[in-house]
Amino acid sequence: MSRKRTMLAALGGAVLAPVLMLIGPGIASAHGYVSSPPSRQAQCAAETVSCGDIKWEPQSVEGPKGLQSCSGGNDRFADLDDDSKGWKLTPVSTQVTFTWTFTARHRTSDYEYFIGGTEVASFSGNDQAPPATVSHQVDLSGYPGQQKVLAVWNIADTGDAFYACIDLNVS
Ligand SMILES: [Cu+2]
């Protein structure tokens, strides 16, 4: 190797290493997501569906409150907004138990569940930090067949919320 090429290689390594550290799984801090029935980000993490960065940090779908967005408005997690990605539908009865798994426990305003922009259920978080998992039972008897549920965790200690879409077949 010429001296010039050696220098270039060293430079390349010096520039690339921090970038790789930034985009790697190590950056993931911690928050929460719907783990059951498996949300889109849970399916990414389990490699049920092949996804980008979200597979490393299913708990990180954070965005401003008030969105109707599976990705929470994060371009980096745009996979989650793609309805044609082959998400696995979970077969459920009309009474569905949704379970959130938290990796950081924020004080919580409330949890909301939407279908097609309509709120189908909400639950108070009593302005307290939740336990490691929280489950809610939601009545989906008015929504037979294939449905995309948007679950929202509105945290009380920032202006943000966490978003998760869950694909179901209700019967
Ligand atoms: Cu958090």
Side-chain angles (χ1 to χ4, degrees):
M1 227 184 224
S2 74
R3 219 179 75 176
K4 194 169 163 198
R5 285 185 63 181
T6 308
M7 254 186 67
L8 276 176
L11 248 175
V15 170
L16 267 178
V19 171
L20 288 174
M21 279 170 62
L22 271 177
I23 63 176
I27 196 177
S29 64
H31 320 284
Y33 66 108
V34 173
S35 48
S36 176
S39 58
R40 291 184 173 186
Q41 54 262 58
Q43 294 189 26
C44 290
E47 299 191 328
T48 306
V49 174
S50 119
C51 308
D53 286 357
I54 186 60
K55 77 173 175 184
W56 304 114
E57 42 179 325
Q59 72 277 8
S60 297
V61 186
E62 180 173 10
K65 289 188 172 78
L67 301 183
Q68 288 283 320
S69 163
C70 297
S71 67
N74 293 284
D75 290 345
R76 200 159 63 90
F77 303 149
D79 311 50
L80 300 173
D81 294 323
D82 184 353
D83 290 337
S84 65
K85 218 173 150 59
W87 307 109
K88 198 169 170 215
L89 300 175
T90 301
V92 292
S93 73
T94 55
Q95 306 302 312
V96 186
T97 301
F98 293 91
T99 301
W100 288 82
T101 294
F102 302 111
T103 50
R105 305 184 204 171
H106 296 273
R107 279 193 304 111
T108 301
S109 302
D110 61 1
Y111 305 85
E112 297 175 288
Y113 294 85
F114 296 89
I115 292 179
T118 300
E119 187 179 87
V120 294
S122 71
F123 301 87
S124 175
N126 300 310
D127 203 28
Q128 290 176 352
T133 67
V134 164
S135 293
H136 303 125
Q137 187 167 316
V138 176
D139 179 3
L140 293 183
S141 54
Y143 298 89
Q146 185 174 334
Q147 301 294 346
K148 178 173 74 174
V149 176
L150 173 68
V152 183
W153 174 30
N154 289 305
I155 61 177
D157 48 6
T158 79
D160 281 354
F162 288 82
Y163 295 89
C165 281
I166 304 102
D167 298 275
L168 303 174
N169 196 1
V170 183
S171 66

